[in-house]
Amino acid sequence: MDSAYLIETIIKVVVILLVFSALAGIGTYFERKVLAFMQRRLGPMNVGPYGLLQVAADGIKLFTKEDIIPTGVVVKIFKIAPVITAATAFMAAAAIPFLPSFTLFGYEVHPIVSDINIGILYILGIMAVGLYGPLLGGMASANKYSLISAARTAAVFISYEVVTGLSILAPIMMVGSLSLIDFNEYQAGGISEWIVWSQPVAFVLFWIAAFAETGRTPFHLIANDHEIIDGFGTEYSGMRWGLFFIGEYANMFFISFVIPLIFLGGYGDGSLLGALGLLAKVAFFFFFFLWTRAAWPDVRPDQLMWLCWKVLMPIAVINVVITGFVMMF
């Protein structure tokens, strides 16, 4: 039994690494197509039918591009920073139930690496550790603009982790558990049981904070694409830059799973329809990341900090207090 569990766990880890690494590349294709559609362009069209092979071309380019280590960088830290970003993104996936349990050749498969009873706390903690990737990458670079980007990263991540934690506290009080599977079971009664109806404020706050945690527009102050430099990744090339890239898109997919699991019923009663429903919710939230990039401008750093500390955090605290009073009476 122990050997079967070990083999199952190893297979699930390998599948998550392979699938979501590939999805990071596929996600860029969809992003470029969505942005092109919204800006009345065609997007990738030349490599393969409808540009589908552009994903493979980009992957080959990253793997074969020369890995340059600029003069003046702190070499060991410069090399390890991209690994931290990608590793923490995939480590967070260990506590996420991607689908309901199903039977395959007579063996029951649980599509979660480890259903630990502090799953949400684990995910938030690993996401917090992910800060050190871009922070160390910028600090180790011999470039003052990379250092400024690293400082922005620390400010944004640390600030919005507070909002993320406070927003999720009210739903945790209701469910009485930190396991995402328990959250799913709490809402298994149907749409009327979804936590979003009783915690709409927490849902909106968590969703807003997700943009900051993943470094996406309109909170894309970590490495602005429209600036002359690429933030903390300015001096990176080849697959080291690719690891930062994979970490960002993997985080987008994982947070797109976490939001519906906590607030929108997850996979419901575990049926095939529930599993397809979860995947549809994930697709919507991932699309919303892309849509927002096409539709919203970036805000200034001071505006972002003002929004966090003077608007979102007080609202989150008030929501927790109100939830506590309602549960008491």
Side-chain angles (χ1 to χ4, degrees):
M1 185 66 180
D2 290 339
S3 60
Y5 174 77
L6 179 61
I7 293 171
E8 179 188 357
T9 302
I10 292 173
I11 291 174
K12 285 188 285 191
V13 170
V14 172
V15 169
I16 288 173
L17 288 172
L18 293 178
V19 169
F20 285 96
S21 294
L23 282 177
I26 296 170
T28 62
Y29 173 81
F30 283 112
E31 178 163 19
R32 293 167 73 177
K33 281 294 188 181
V34 169
L35 294 179
F37 175 79
M38 293 184 176
Q39 297 165 357
R40 301 179 68 84
R41 297 184 291 108
L42 291 176
M45 287 294 291
N46 294 327
V47 187
Y50 300 101
L52 285 169
L53 295 181
Q54 186 66 51
V55 177
D58 290 341
I60 293 170
K61 180 185 71 174
L62 285 176
F63 276 106
T64 57
K65 195 173 182 180
E66 182 182 2
D67 179 25
I68 300 172
I69 306 295
T71 303
V73 303
V74 183
V75 176
K76 291 183 179 179
I77 298 177
F78 185 85
K79 289 181 177 181
I80 200 67
V83 179
I84 294 174
T85 297
T88 52
F90 285 102
M91 287 169 64
I96 300 175
F98 294 102
L99 291 170
S101 300
F102 60 92
T103 302
L104 184 65
F105 303 119
Y107 184 83
E108 187 176 8
V109 179
H110 302 277
I112 180 173
V113 175
S114 180
D115 179 23
I116 52 179
N117 58 4
I118 55 168
I120 295 177
L121 185 62
Y122 167 81
I123 291 170
L124 295 181
I126 292 297
M127 289 176 64
V129 174
L131 155 71
Y132 289 99
L135 179 62
L136 293 176
M139 293 178 66
S141 299
N143 184 312
K144 64 181 179 181
Y145 298 107
S146 296
L147 180 60
I148 292 172
S149 175
R152 281 181 177 180
T153 302
V156 171
F157 279 20
I158 291 173
S159 299
Y160 278 85
E161 280 164 11
V162 176
V163 176
T164 302
L166 288 173
S167 65
I168 206 67
L169 190 56
I172 290 172
M173 292 164 62
M174 293 176 56
V175 177
S177 173
L178 291 167
S179 168
L180 285 174
I181 290 182
D182 289 342
F183 266 82
N184 184 85
E185 292 176 353
Y186 182 87
Q187 306 170 85
I191 295 178
S192 62
E193 300 293 326
W194 288 5
I195 292 177
V196 67
W197 308 126
S198 55
Q199 290 293 334
V201 174
F203 170 67
V204 173
L205 290 174
F206 190 85
W207 199 359
I208 292 173
F211 281 88
E213 293 284 340
T214 53
R216 299 290 299 183
T217 304
F219 300 159
H220 193 42
L221 302 180
I222 300 168
N224 281 338
D225 292 337
H226 55 262
E227 292 182 345
I228 297 175
I229 56 126
D230 187 34
F232 62 85
T234 300
E235 297 193 343
Y236 284 91
S237 63
M239 204 54 210
R240 295 193 197 279
W241 180 87
L243 289 175
F244 282 126
F245 175 82
I246 290 172
E248 177 184 337
Y249 279 81
N251 271 325
M252 289 167 58
F253 277 107
F254 296 146
I255 205 71
S256 296
F257 270 98
V258 170
I259 294 175
L261 283 167
I262 294 176
F263 293 101
L264 300 176
Y267 48 76
D269 57 2
S271 63
L272 176 61
L273 187 61
L276 294 175
L278 175 60
L279 295 179
K281 297 167 195 172
V282 171
F284 167 76
F285 282 106
F286 186 80
F287 168 75
F288 198 87
F289 278 116
L290 312 184
W291 179 22
T292 308
R293 181 176 179 183
W296 285 76
D298 284 323
V299 298
R300 298 196 315 260
D302 62 303
Q303 293 172 329
L304 188 58
M305 294 297 103
W306 176 87
L307 177 66
C308 176
W309 294 107
K310 293 189 177 182
V311 178
L312 301 183
M313 192 188 74
I315 292 175
V317 172
I318 293 170
N319 187 55
V320 171
V321 173
I322 293 174
T323 302
F325 275 111
V326 171
M327 293 182 66
M328 286 176 62
F329 301 104

